[in-house]
Every structure is written in structure tokens, then in C-alpha cells.
Amino acid sequence: MNKQEAQQRVDELRMLLDKANKAYYQDAQPFISDKEFDEYLAELNKLEQKFDLSDPTSPTQRVGGEPSSDFDTVEHPIPLLSLDNTYNEEELNDFDRRVHDLLEHDDFTYLVELKFDGAAIRLRYENGTLALGATRGDGERGDDITRNIKTIKDIPLQLEDDYPDIVEVRGEAYMEREAFVRMNEHREQQGLNAFANPRNSTAGSLKMQDPREVARRPIRFFSFDLLSEGTDTNITQYQKMEWLEKFGLPVCEHYKLCSDIQQVHKQIEEWKDLRHDLPYETDGVVIKVNEEKYRETLGTTSKAPRWAIAYKFEAEQATTVLQDITLQVGRLGKITPVAELKAVELAGTTVKRASLHNEDEIHRKDIRIGDRVVVEKAGEIIPQIVTVVNPNRNDRGSRFEMPERCPACNQELVKLGEDVDWRCINPECPPQIRQRIEHFASRDAMDIDGMGEAVVDQLVTESLISNYADLYELKKEQLLPLERMAEKSAQNLIDAIEGSKDQPLDRVIYAMGIRFVGKTVARDLAHGFKTMDALMEADQEDIENIESIGPKIAQSVVEFFSQDHNRDIVANLRNHGLTLQMEEEQQASQKLKDKKFVLTGSLPSLTRKEATELIQKHGGSTTSSVSGNTDYLLVGDSPGSKYDKAQELNIPIIDQAAFLELIDEEI
Ligand code: IVH
């Protein structure tokens, strides 16, 4: 390779890595695996050095990710560094040798910890109270996401025991595998895109604008570093873990003191098996020089400390044959290509299918039917195809062509706006009809007991119904001939359908299956518009006026009601006697009727405005100062003098949790 060719490759790699960085950090939608990323970065590093092509803006020079502009930016007085990675024993021994050489003695130990696969965060406690939570950002500056951090239940708002005035904590936010899968299922039910893996989902969740939504995400936290002023320089990493625990911060139970690198290797072997039994993802272990005092001598490079290294587990991979690519039609018409694989064992399960995400992904990896492919189950729960084994073979099949028509109904497929997905927009498309009706009848929607997949399937196949409003025309006699349907079950089903007519407006809105309208949005729309008619007539601006609703949702609602067949279905629902408006008592509960509240301090996840709205919604009111007429003082962190006054007057003092219990709301 000459210098010119090297320059060309360097440019190519920088562009790819910048894109990958943005996709990972800002969009939480990575398109290459961590290992691929590390390999490209290593290749770039090598070329830059060999051909003297370094550049201050190269991805090799930074930790990754720009702070997002939506939150305030905070400087990290001590940068949040990255870690160098190793993938084999040799490289780990090299690290050990370097540490010995730099320290010029053997008088140190290692602490080995699991490497959690989530998002790094920094916490700052002032006088024991959580004062700041921030993302890593580019390592020097991150986003102030305190309000979101406060919703994470693992993170104490107040430290315990004997803590120093200022405590800086570093750790990893993550999601447990099972909670992640459940959340994704729920998202798909609501017509939202599923997250690729727990890590992206965590990173994305932490940067959401609405802390109430963050509170619903199953985010967990492990702390792994403590930096506080005036700490004894003789402290060890092991002691830090004990301190963190003592302060009430969550620390993962798996950390081990090792006297030398041989012990470290043994520990790694042990944990390679352990990781499958853990409820969360780990992508390796972190090896740290245990004694703090040597960290200074060892120092850091611009990106990573020289006193620590990550040993990454190989992602579990297997090769198999891609037998076919099939297309799945979602409830909202999204067409997802699915890899049909020759069955193969991977990380303890038999894999037969893998998601191919979309057409672009298939072309980028040039995946063709008949190829031998590498399947990986790394952070991903759903197996992914990493690469084609022998792409230069000359007897390959032809390039994948996305069909122009829907595999189920033959309607021409379309791409909407900047969407990467193809969609079938035929309202009569059978799998979509079936899924829409199933969604309509589901427990969180109209809750029609007995109207499961098998029944819906038969009703649609037998042309007894073609949309969810048709459910209300069904007669018992029509149900009786269906498989496994007896007199009693048919009657129960008819009764359940009839009973669903009383479901409140928010459930009806949710049940209609409008894209991006989940349960919470449906509730906000119902409260905002009070009647289906008002919602149907609302324009984009009216809808955006509702606090929690942004342009994407508003546009989707307007678009839904602009279609005649949807308006016809609403008319049918009305003719069948559904309540398409809020009942008086739904509009405002009277749980806090005539109760006067005073607010003080900052609540863990409600803003003052939100708390006030909740109080009003339930028939209460707020005043600014405590008096004999006050019924409740609602307190958050750092309450002011109102707290003392309320105590003096014997006025009930409640926190956010007690308040929510009082009004029977969850956030
Ligand atoms: S120590 C400067 N310990 O890995 C020391 N990091 O690739 C770096 N991580 O940004 C942090 N588990 O988010 C450390 N037990 C652990 C970790 C860990 C996960 C993450 C952390 C860091 C990234 C570096």
C-alpha cells in the first residue's frame, strides 16, 4: 500500500467510524457490531501511525459521541475515559507486562470486575443528596440528565452512612434481558419500533425528553468507581466497592481480587460460563490495578487509562446456511425481511430465524439466499447475521430484490418519508386486518376475553368480519361452527363483545391502533379532547397543544382520521352504541375534592406543573403557602421552610409515592 492508497482507506474508515459513532451514541441504532467497530478502529490507528496520517478530528482521537443539544451540557472535571480492549490472552499478558515495566515492581494486585454492556453515567452527590446525573458524552462533556436519572430506582437520591461532602460516582446504566424483551413486545404492540438490544435501549431511554416516560423503562444501575475529594491515596478499588455499597449504591456482587495475571486468566475462564446465567448482558471483564496510588504513576493516554483494560468475550457465533428470505407483515403494514436459516445451535438455543431488519441492511451486507452466513448472538437477543462467509464465490444466487408488492395481498409497497421500511398501506391486507382486530380485542385495549388469535383468524378467513367494528355485528349462530367453539363459549364471547361497549374513550382510542399511539398517548388524547368527534376534527396544531404530544404523533393521528375508511369505522362503532366520549367522572376524579395542597422541594419525577395538573385533575387545588387551611404538604428533595411550618401545624406531609397512591395513579 502506498501513501495515497493509505490516505484513501483512512478517509473511508474515518467516515464509516464517524457514522457508526453517531448511530450508536446519538441515534441508539448501531449498524455494526462492537467487534467490527474495534477492528476498523485498530486498522485506522495502524494506518495513521504507519503513514503518519494522524489528524486531531479522527475517530481515533476521541472517546465517541457529541452531547445532544436537548439537555444542558456539563463539563466532567475528571473525564470519563474509555477502556482499551483486548480479545486474547496474549494481549492481556502484554498489558500486565506494561504495568510491571512502568511501575518497576510487583507489589500490586488486580481487581477483576464484569464489564456491563449498557451506558456509562456519572453521578454527583452533594452533602449526600443526588445533585447531578450526566451521560458520558464525548468524555469531557456530557448531558445533564439529572431529571431522568432520578427516575432510576436503583439510584439512591440520598446516600446512607458516613459519606464525604462531595461524592462522585461512575457506573453503568443497563437493562435486564427479560425486562428488555417484555418492553420490546409492548412497543411492538403499540406499533413502535423495537430496540435492537438492551444497551441501545438504555442509551436511548436516558436521553428522552419526558422523565415520566423514562420512569417506565426498566433501567437498572451498577456503580463501579468512586471519586471523592480528600480520599486516602492508599485506598484500593476493592475498598471503593465496599464504600459504594455502604453508601447505598448498587454494586454488582461479582468482583474478585487477583494477586497476579495468572489468577486473572482463571477468573476470566470462570466468568465465561457465568455470564449466560446472569439476568443482564456482559461483554467482557474489566481488569483494574487495585491500588489507587499506582494509578497516577501509570497515568492515562488521551482516551483510556493505562491502569485498566477490558478483556472482551468473543461474541458467540455460528455459521449456517440461509435457506430463504421471507417477509413478515406487521399490524401497521411494515414489511420485515426474515432470514430462514438451517437450524443451528447458538449460545444454548436452536436458531432457525434471524431478523434482517430491512432491505438496506440486506444490501449493505450483500446477503443472498444460499449463502453460508455467520450468525451472532452478542448483546442482541434476536440473532443477527453478521456477515456472509464467502462473498466472492462465483456460484452465488442473485442479489436480494425487495418485491414490489405485498406478499399477503399483492398491493404495491411504499416507503413513507425518510422511513427505511417498506410498507403495505392496503387497509384490506389480511394479516394486517387480523393483527388490528387482535390488538383491538387485547387486554389493554377493549379487553374482549376469548377473542384470541385462533378465533380472529377463523373469523377473518371465513369472511365473517373485515374490521374491528364488524365484531359488534356478530351473532352467536355465526360463532358456533368455529373450531373449538361450544354453546357456552360462544355466548361468553358475545357477552364479552357486548360488555366492551362500555370501555372508556382512552381505551377505544388505543384500541384503534393508530401508529405511535400507545396507552399513555391515548389517555392524554382522551383527556385533551374529551370526545372522539373533537379528536377527529383536530388539526396537527391542536393535537400538538397537548403537553406530552409531539409532531410525529400528531401527524400520525391526523393522517389516520383523514382516511375515509377509518372515519367509517368510527361511525360504525358509534352506531353500535360505543361510548365515544369521556364520562363525567372520567373527566375528573373527585379523590382530592376540595383538598388544598402546598408543594415544596423537587419531586423525583414530576415537575411542579405536572404535580399541579394531577392535583387539579382529581378535584384538588394548590396554594403557595402553608396555613391552617392546608390539607397536605407534598415534599420533594431539599424542602424549604414550608416543611417546618407544616410540621408545626401538624399538617400531613406526603412524598411523591404517597401522593400517587392517594390518587391511584402510576407514573
Ligand atoms: S471502569 C476509566 N468498570 O465500559 C475507567 N467500566 O469501554 C473506565 N464499563 O465507559 C471505567 N463495566 O461505561 C469500568 N466494571 C466496569 C465497567 C465499565 C462497563 C463501561 C464503562 C466505560 C466503558 C469503556
Side-chain angles (χ1 to χ4, degrees), residues 150-341:
K150 284 185 171 176
T151 69
I152 302 175
K153 315 229 173 18
D154 278 341
I155 298 180
L157 299 177
Q158 174 70 41
L159 297 182
E160 294 162 14
D161 211 73
D162 206 7
Y163 44 78
D165 292 350
I166 302 289
V167 173
E168 277 270 345
V169 177
R170 269 103 201 257
E172 196 87 349
Y174 67 96
M175 279 184 195
E176 292 196 346
R177 236 177 267 129
E178 243 186 77
F180 165 77
V181 171
R182 244 180 292 128
M183 182 189 74
N184 254 353
E185 281 169 3
H186 194 73
R187 285 178 71 80
E188 283 183 336
Q189 266 174 21
Q190 301 195 330
L192 301 169
N193 286 334
F195 286 106
N197 56 42
R199 180 192 50 220
N200 299 335
S201 164
T202 308
S205 300
L206 287 174
K207 303 244 271 185
M208 284 192 306
Q209 288 301 308
D210 183 356
R212 291 174 306 177
E213 191 51 41
V214 184
R216 282 185 208 108
R217 302 280 173 97
I219 308 176
R220 309 289 312 265
F221 178 72
F222 276 138
S223 37
F224 51 64
D225 206 2
L226 173 67
L227 312 145
S228 56
E229 279 163 37
T231 319
D232 180 356
T233 48
N234 275 323
I235 195 171
T236 62
Q237 176 68 15
Y238 192 91
Q239 284 166 331
K240 282 187 183 181
M241 302 296 253
E242 292 179 328
W243 280 73
L244 286 165
E245 232 177 320
K246 211 161 52 119
F247 294 159
L249 285 148
V251 171
C252 169
E253 59 179 317
H254 302 292
Y255 58 93
K256 266 280 170 38
L257 196 58
C258 294
S259 54
D260 56 27
I261 203 73
Q262 278 72 36
Q263 276 207 8
V264 171
H265 284 299
K266 271 199 204 133
Q267 195 55 50
I268 292 175
E269 275 315 303
E270 214 179 298
W271 280 350
K272 271 185 185 160
D273 292 331
L274 168 78
R275 70 168 171 146
H276 300 304
D277 300 329
L278 296 170
Y280 44 82
E281 303 286 343
T282 56
D283 57 345
V285 298
V286 185
I287 299 108
K288 302 175 181 175
V289 170
N290 190 34
E291 293 76 13
E292 175 92 359
K293 59 184 173 209
Y294 299 138
R295 294 191 178 176
E296 207 167 311
T297 325
L298 292 164
T300 67
T301 67
S302 64
K303 288 195 315 169
R306 290 198 195 86
W307 45 263
I309 197 146
Y311 178 95
K312 293 273 212 110
F313 295 135
E314 283 281 344
E316 301 206 41
Q317 295 187 335
T319 70
T320 186
V321 176
L322 175 66
Q323 295 177 320
D324 199 2
I325 296 177
T326 54
L327 300 174
Q328 236 170 28
V329 186
R331 165 161 67 87
L332 298 159
K334 179 171 138 182
I335 308 288
T336 310
V338 177
E340 306 288 345
L341 304 165

Side-chain angles (χ1 to χ4, degrees), residues 424-437:
C424 166
I425 53 165
N426 174 13
E428 310 288 330
C429 175
Q432 292 184 58
I433 292 179
R434 278 197 285 273
Q435 293 175 77
R436 273 201 300 269
I437 299 173

Side-chain angles (χ1 to χ4, degrees), residues 81-83 113-116 120 136 172 224 286 288 305:
L81 295 175
S82 180
L83 284 169
E113 298 168 18
L114 289 175
K115 186 169 191 301
F116 314 108
R136 181 166 84 167
E172 196 87 349
F224 51 64
V286 185
K288 302 175 181 175

Side-chain angles (χ1 to χ4, degrees), residues 46 53 90 112 210 245 354 416 520:
K46 216 160 131 194
L53 292 171
E90 292 308 294
V112 191
D210 183 356
E245 232 177 320
L416 304 174
T520 320

Side-chain angles (χ1 to χ4, degrees), residues 424-456:
C424 166
I425 53 165
N426 174 13
E428 310 288 330
C429 175
Q432 292 184 58
I433 292 179
R434 278 197 285 273
Q435 293 175 77
R436 273 201 300 269
I437 299 173
E438 274 168 40
H439 171 76
F440 184 83
S442 66
R443 178 132 54 98
D444 289 344
M446 300 302 272
D447 194 17
I448 304 178
D449 205 17
M451 188 60 72
E453 200 179 321
V455 176
V456 173

